[in-house]
Amino acid sequence: MPKFIGAVSLAVALVCSGAAAAGDAAAGDERYHESCHACHGPAGKGASSYPKVSGNTVEYTREKLIAYRSGQKFGPNSPLMIMMAKPLSDEEIENLAVYLKDAKYE
């Protein structure tokens, strides 16, 4: 029983620290520059009529991309965002969210 409690405690600690579900920021950076950079600018700082997408929490970005992927509309750029989010896997969304949380323009 003590081994079970120790394992549960470790799992809870990992989940609470975010280590268990952490995405790959480097992979997110790469994917961002393949699909998002042209509209949202370097490091997600925003460009023209496209909003700043960096600096948000991982949860916020994840939920927005999942919503767009499912076809939900939020504003005038929704059709474009829906088209761009449709092919994203859960892993790619997580990676993008982790990258954008701390993305910096240099």
Side-chain angles (χ1 to χ4, degrees), residues 7-102:
V8 170
S9 296
L10 177 60
V12 169
L14 286 173
V15 170
C16 290
S17 71
D24 181 343
D29 182 10
E30 186 176 323
R31 185 68 163 116
Y32 178 84
H33 286 89
E34 288 173 13
S35 303
C36 315
H37 180 261
C39 294
H40 291 287
K45 70 177 185 116
S48 188
S49 68
Y50 301 99
K52 178 180 184 280
V53 292
S54 59
N56 296 312
T57 65
V58 169
E59 295 78 14
Y60 175 84
T61 302
R62 179 191 312 121
E63 293 307 313
K64 279 294 222 190
L65 287 172
I66 290 170
Y68 279 126
R69 185 175 66 183
S70 74
Q72 291 183 30
K73 296 180 180 177
F74 296 99
N77 293 329
S78 289
L80 178 59
M81 280 303 302
I82 290 167
M83 179 185 73
M84 297 304 289
K86 284 266 186 215
L88 295 175
S89 68
D90 288 343
E91 181 179 12
E92 288 174 314
I93 287 174
E94 192 68 21
N95 293 343
L96 283 165
V98 168
Y99 165 68
L100 287 169
K101 178 183 173 291
D102 296 317

